Amino acid sequence: MDAVLHDLALHWPLYAVMPFIAALIGYVTKRVAIEMMFRPLDFVGVPPLLGWQGVVPKHGGRMAAVATELLTENLLDLREVFGKIDPVIITAELEQPLLRAVDHIAREVLAEHHPRLWEVLPTLAQEMLIKQVQASAPKLVREFLDEVRENLDEVLDVQHMTVQRLTRDRALLVRLIRETSRPEMAFIARMGIYFGFGLGLVQTIVWAFTREPLVLPIFGGAIGLFTDWLAIKLIFVPREPVRVGRVIFQGKFQRRRAEVARQYGELIANEVLTVQNLLDAVLRGPRADRLAALVEQMVSAAVDAQLPLSFAVGGTRLREMKHAAALKALEQLPSTARYAEGYLTEAMDVAKVIEQRMLALTPLEFEGLLRPAFRQDEWKLIAVGGVIGFVVGELQVLLMLG
């Protein structure tokens, strides 16, 4: 005992700094584990064994599928969202751009497919014909909206759209998980300091009594392993509040449910289920041919309603004109719909819908929002913490013995 006290008195600065080094080990191993979850986006190293790719981007497809399943099965009913669109308001929003688009399409199709008829028509007759077609446009918009709502599953594959968007843009997937879990990541790093310091005190006492060179690297590795594992667990458990005296324990992610729901809803609304992305999925997705058939059917009916035009053209040429008009209508749809983007975003209010649905999830379902980001390679992150802790412990041995 006297020898221990003598050594403590002689080397007290080194003993004093040991818990702080352990705290540093705890913090560094957590920061490394956190960054390894998200970086790098692409594999860096010599494939397949030597190198690393962030856990989230590496398993982007699976995580995108999990996020999409949660979104489509628990958080969002697109029929409900589209049902919020008022046909009268959207028709008013689109009135002027729609009239311009109809004018352009009608003139172009007639001039291209029946130039002689168009040229011999007096200017007044041309204008009257265009006005007739334009007059049917608002009714066409309302019918089109009703048809899309009625056949939403046939024209829009939202699961395919969401998975493709998140898989193609790995940075977006990383941001989706990282932004909603930023406080949890900071919590993990802080816990590394506290747990590391506590274990460092024990480490200091053991070293003082044993002077065993293996104590420091073993403790360093244990600090890295244990603090990584414990910090990750404390994010999620306990799922339900547990009261111990005056203190209430609950997983940090669960406690932040309201904040996470708001952030997640805004990210999905602003980055994934935007009006432009939905429109692009409808026009270019795997079910785009069904929308094209729907537009052609409606354009055909609108053209047939113009009796003078039907009698003047007729036959094969009329069918060609209908097909050409439908194709041009599809081409004009994105630029025309842009004028109603503000109203559509406000009316559908995707962020609010998702936020409300998330608040209604069970704790286990809510945990599923973030847990997949950790589960796949969690052991690797913990193991890296142990390796870093062991190496730093070995450096401590060299310092102490030196």
Side-chain angles (χ1 to χ4, degrees):
M1 187 66 181
D2 290 338
V4 171
L5 293 174
H6 175 72
D7 192 58
L8 282 170
L10 190 63
H11 301 107
W12 70 265
L14 292 176
Y15 282 102
V17 83
M18 285 176 69
F20 293 97
I21 293 177
L24 181 64
I25 293 173
Y27 179 77
V28 170
T29 55
K30 303 306 154 295
R31 293 306 315 176
V32 170
I34 290 167
E35 293 306 314
M36 287 177 68
M37 282 186 61
F38 302 110
R39 297 180 184 177
L41 290 178
D42 299 303
F43 185 88
V44 174
V46 181
L49 298 177
L50 187 60
W52 184 260
Q53 181 181 11
V55 174
V56 172
K58 179 181 178 182
H59 301 287
R62 182 183 59 80
M63 291 186 183
V66 170
T68 301
E69 183 179 353
L70 176 70
L71 183 67
T72 54
E73 292 187 7
N74 299 94
L75 303 182
L76 199 65
D77 181 352
L78 275 182
R79 288 187 179 279
E80 176 190 340
V81 169
F82 273 73
K84 296 180 177 183
I85 302 171
D86 189 324
V88 176
I89 296 178
I90 195 170
T91 302
E93 292 278 337
L94 294 176
E95 182 178 6
Q96 292 306 314
L98 188 63
L99 293 178
R100 289 194 296 270
V102 169
D103 181 280
H104 174 73
I105 292 170
R107 291 178 188 277
E108 200 171 81
V109 170
L110 284 166
E112 183 180 333
H113 290 270
H114 210 317
R116 290 183 182 178
L117 172 64
W118 188 244
E119 288 168 6
V120 299
L121 281 175
T123 303
L124 183 59
Q126 290 179 355
E127 294 300 327
M128 285 182 65
L129 182 59
I130 296 297
K131 294 295 182 189
Q132 267 190 299
V133 178
Q134 285 179 327
S136 65
K139 180 172 179 287
L140 198 64
V141 170
R142 289 192 291 270
E143 291 176 354
F144 175 72
L145 191 59
D146 288 340
E147 286 291 333
V148 169
R149 276 198 293 232
E150 191 69 27
N151 302 284
L152 190 59
D153 293 335
E154 294 182 14
V155 298
L156 175 62
D157 187 345
V158 70
Q159 287 188 318
H160 177 271
M161 183 206 82
T162 307
V163 170
Q164 188 180 56
R165 176 95 172 104
L166 293 176
T167 305
R168 188 171 59 236
D169 189 350
R170 290 195 293 267
L172 172 59
L173 180 63
V174 165
R175 194 160 72 253
L176 185 65
I177 295 174
R178 188 158 201 167
E179 288 302 314
T180 53
S181 64
R182 193 171 292 279
E184 281 69 38
M185 300 303 152
F187 171 80
I188 288 176
R190 280 201 311 275
M191 288 301 98
I193 296 174
Y194 303 144
F195 296 147
F197 189 86
L199 288 172
L201 291 174
V202 177
Q203 176 192 44
T204 303
I205 295 170
V206 173
W207 169 263
F209 279 93
T210 64
R211 302 282 293 181
E212 170 57 54
L214 284 176
V215 165
L216 295 183
I218 289 174
F219 262 89
I223 291 169
L225 288 170
F226 177 71
T227 56
D228 274 19
W229 173 82
L230 185 59
I232 290 174
K233 291 300 178 186
L234 288 176
I235 290 178
F236 302 106
V237 294
R239 296 188 181 101
E240 300 283 359
V242 175
R243 181 180 289 276
V244 179
R246 294 184 178 182
V247 181
I248 297 176
F249 293 95
Q250 188 180 18
K252 187 171 179 61
F253 192 61
Q254 298 287 351
R255 288 203 308 270
R256 285 199 319 117
R257 175 182 288 244
E259 183 185 348
V260 171
R262 179 182 54 77
Q263 288 179 328
Y264 194 80
E266 288 176 355
L267 276 168
I268 292 294
N270 297 330
E271 302 281 357
V272 182
L273 295 180
T274 65
V275 172
Q276 285 298 322
N277 286 347
L278 287 169
L279 190 58
D280 186 69
V282 168
L283 293 173
R284 298 181 181 86
R287 300 174 186 174
D289 56 329
R290 300 175 194 181
L291 180 76
L294 176 60
V295 170
E296 186 152 356
Q297 176 186 337
M298 299 190 72
V299 169
S300 178
V303 172
D304 288 340
Q306 312 304 318
L307 293 176
L309 183 61
S310 299
F311 285 133
V313 182
T316 304
R317 186 171 290 176
L318 182 62
R319 286 195 296 274
E320 291 174 355
M321 289 174 63
K322 291 176 182 179
H323 182 66
L327 290 179
K328 291 183 184 299
L330 283 169
E331 290 174 7
Q332 292 283 325
L333 191 55
S335 57
T336 304
R338 190 177 69 249
Y339 291 90
E341 188 171 343
Y343 165 71
L344 289 170
T345 301
E346 183 180 346
M348 292 191 296
D349 200 7
V350 171
K352 193 66 176 178
V353 172
I354 291 176
E355 180 182 351
Q356 291 173 343
R357 292 286 180 88
M358 282 186 70
L359 293 175
L361 293 176
T362 66
L364 187 58
E365 290 171 335
F366 185 75
E367 181 181 311
L369 180 69
L370 184 62
R371 193 72 174 109
F374 290 88
R375 185 176 287 118
Q376 184 71 24
D377 283 347
E378 185 175 303
W379 69 272
K380 291 182 182 178
L381 302 177
I382 294 172
V384 167
V387 170
I388 294 175
F390 186 91
V391 170
V392 175
E394 189 64 34
L395 292 176
Q396 278 184 287
V397 171
L398 296 178
L399 176 66
M400 297 294 287
L401 294 181

